Amino acid sequence: MTTLINETLERYWGYTSFRPLQEDIIRSVLDGKDTLGLMPTGGGKSITFQVPAMTLEGLCIVVTPLIALMKDQVDNLRARGIKATTVYSGMSFDEINKHFDNCVYGDYKFLYISPERLQTDLFKSKLHSMNVCLLVVDESHCISQWGYDFRPSYLHIAEIRKELPENIPVLALTATATPEAVDDIQEKLMFRDKNVLKKSFIRDNLSYIVRNTENKTDELIHILKRIEGSSIIYVRNRKHTQEIAKALQQEGFSAHFFHAGLNRDEKTARQDAWKKGTCRIMVATNAFGMGIDKPDVRTVIHVDMPSSLEEYFQEAGRAGRDEKNAYAVSLCARTETSKLKKRMSDEYPDKKLIINVYEALGNYLQIAVGFGAFLTHNFSIDNFCKIFKFPIIQTHNALKILESAGYIEYIEEPDASSRLLFLINRDELYRTELDKLSDSIIQVILRSYTGPFADYVFIDETLIATRVGATNDAVYNALIMLSKYHIVSYIPQKKLPQIKFARNREEAKRVAIPRSSFEERYERTQLRTSKVIEYIKEQNVCRTRMLLRYFGEKTDRDCRMCDICLRKNRSGIRTWEFNSVREALMKYLKDNNSVSIRILSNELPLDKEKNIKVIRFLLDYEEDIKYKDGIISIR
């Protein structure tokens, strides 16, 4: 087995060895075991299912909610000569049917699919004809109501598993999960036996810092001047990304802003500039960073804290993947706690507003009561809120709650790429008479993309226009004409989010938001928010220890790098030094009951002077320790 998986890794990916934990997960999968792999951001999750799938006979189904990540991975696999395809919400019926048929008859190795597609009759009917060898659940924390990003559509994965042969293993992957979520993931996916493989969350090179400041921009500039290298600055709203990027540019920094509202070309250009180092700083919402493996990020700075430590840990973990020293800094004002609580109230608006949004949505999309099931509509939340005078943030969250309750699907991420498939074979194409521009466009497509006769490929009209020396509009019009003549099937990118009613429209008085979609989720969000507040307010406990404890991992020492560890406490020495002496002293006393101060001063971990300093401080302030005639003991 070792030889086979190593040969596969080198043949297709060019690596001669695996990263830590990758090989353990691969072996577990190949042994036919259901496996939950906990791997930190940047740990190389995709290799853990792509390598074993290439050694097995049949199709690997990968369930993931991230459309952009699907496309990137499919493109990367195809570039390596591996047949892969993707199906997600918003695609046409004919296109989806074509992809599924390729998985049945076309010897494809990977099908990336969004969880919403799993419950469709078309998928269920095709699944029985697919030779499935492995079921992968990426971002598996989404299946758990204990997870920070619960998605009801993930619960359908268990139903699909019942349709597969019993010997087909499930591989669940996530970067962050609490102990409760770990148990819940395995239960919801019907693991035959509990089997968790995880890499320690300890990052020895990453220093976690909370900086209290009332002027975050000035503090941000101060940090970036002191610490050189690539940086990500995380904020919570789009407007703020632009404001901070502009302030940094005025100070002479190379900075761009990034958020989900940018068009595809802007996103690609800014992302490439940052990855190549021509742009040093990216100021972004949480839309930036997923799937980007840039190893030399020196600082990740949160101007606004996320609502959960899971999100924070994942975003902070994008710093220092090259194992060199890096910093995860949180900038916190006195109002930080109230902001987090306000955000939580926005996330769970009044139920009356939720029902009003549902009623208005039906009117806006012109759907009559009793109709509309499974129809997809373009949707502008800005226009919707303007017409009905709804608050935009609360409306967004009301739509998410309605989705959780099973009334709608809210597809926030529109198709970022156009898609194309040739409807005639290569010989027929060469015999077809075309105008000069159309012929040039086809030649560029054939040179630039792999497999357009067998499957839909993602295309970039701007790239094609540049290579043929035409405008984007000219390329678009030519492709539309080729589509009308049934030479190609051309699906232009969608620029607006979409709403799909998951059932026929109900009367407002019959809309019921279940406790599981509102009260229970609110309680869990409240708990997660309280842990973030506890993290930023803590003054005495090592920040790495706090994060590890949250994720159910224990460590017997402080990190010695965070702001708390390096701060001097009332004893006059650094917190990590104080804690190391105190812990060693308490252990010594428990093992020996009592001991002379002369012996202790030499046995404890620091130099004699510091050891005595800590002992004296503890005798003054620690009620559990007593001293008499040169002897120290526990009360």
Side-chain angles (χ1 to χ4, degrees), residues 117-366:
R117 295 289 93 197
L118 298 176
Q119 57 187 311
T120 62
D121 291 337
L122 179 60
F123 174 71
K124 290 176 181 177
S125 67
K126 298 287 186 179
L127 179 64
H128 295 289
S129 302
M130 295 178 187
N131 179 25
V132 179
C133 64
L134 175 63
L135 177 61
V136 178
V137 185
D138 197 14
E139 307 297 330
S140 61
H141 57 269
C142 294
I143 202 172
S144 171
Q145 296 207 43
W146 291 102
Y148 70 95
D149 190 21
F150 172 63
R151 302 191 182 206
S153 55
Y154 260 66
L155 297 174
H156 297 294
I157 299 172
E159 298 170 20
I160 297 306
R161 184 161 196 197
K162 294 175 184 176
E163 303 297 320
L164 295 173
E166 287 187 7
N167 64 326
I168 302 301
V170 170
L171 171 59
L173 296 166
T174 182
T176 52
T178 61
E180 295 87 353
V182 165
D183 289 340
D184 204 23
I185 290 167
Q186 294 176 90
E187 180 184 335
K188 292 290 194 302
L189 289 173
M190 302 189 304
F191 271 39
R192 291 163 292 191
D193 296 294
K194 287 196 172 184
N195 181 28
V196 182
L197 298 176
K198 67 177 184 176
K199 183 180 178 183
S200 171
F201 286 128
I202 293 175
R203 294 285 303 278
D204 289 329
N205 64 312
L206 185 55
S207 177
Y208 297 99
I209 297 166
V210 173
R211 191 68 58 83
N212 294 306
T213 177
E214 297 306 312
N215 191 327
K216 294 186 178 184
T217 303
D218 284 355
E219 187 62 34
L220 182 61
I221 291 168
H222 172 71
I223 292 168
L224 292 170
K225 284 181 177 177
R226 288 190 61 191
I227 303 171
E228 297 180 350
S230 183
S231 181
I232 308 174
I233 317 297
Y234 280 113
V235 298
R236 294 296 299 186
N237 67 66
R238 297 177 183 184
K239 184 180 178 183
H240 211 177
T241 63
Q242 299 179 48
E243 292 170 347
I244 292 179
K246 185 177 180 181
L248 293 177
Q249 290 165 2
Q250 290 172 345
E251 289 291 323
F253 293 104
S254 169
H256 274 317
F257 64 89
F258 189 102
H259 55 68
L262 297 175
N263 66 44
R264 180 190 60 195
D265 295 337
E266 288 174 316
K267 286 179 181 177
T268 301
R270 293 178 188 196
Q271 187 170 291
D272 288 347
W274 181 77
K275 287 174 72 174
K276 292 174 182 175
T278 54
C279 168
R280 176 188 167 191
I281 301 161
M282 189 65 76
V283 187
T285 62
N286 61 2
F288 181 78
M290 189 65 67
I292 296 174
D293 190 9
K294 182 173 169 62
D296 61 344
V297 179
R298 298 274 67 83
T299 54
V300 170
I301 304 173
H302 280 84
V303 173
D304 301 311
M305 280 295 284
S307 299
S308 72
L309 289 180
E310 288 97 327
E311 291 174 89
Y312 175 72
F313 189 79
Q314 189 172 59
E315 290 167 4
R318 292 177 180 133
R321 293 181 187 173
D322 57 3
E323 303 300 324
K324 297 179 182 178
N325 287 343
Y327 303 86
V329 185
S330 304
L331 302 181
C332 298
R334 282 175 291 187
T335 57
E336 214 67 35
T337 297
S338 59
K339 282 183 180 177
L340 284 164
K341 290 179 178 177
K342 170 65 167 60
R343 194 186 302 159
M344 190 169 64
S345 67
D346 285 339
E347 194 171 336
Y348 294 91
D350 187 84
K351 281 191 175 181
K352 185 177 179 180
L353 174 67
I354 297 171
I355 293 170
N356 287 341
V357 166
Y358 178 80
E359 179 76 357
L361 193 62
N363 296 335
Y364 180 74
L365 299 175
Q366 298 182 338

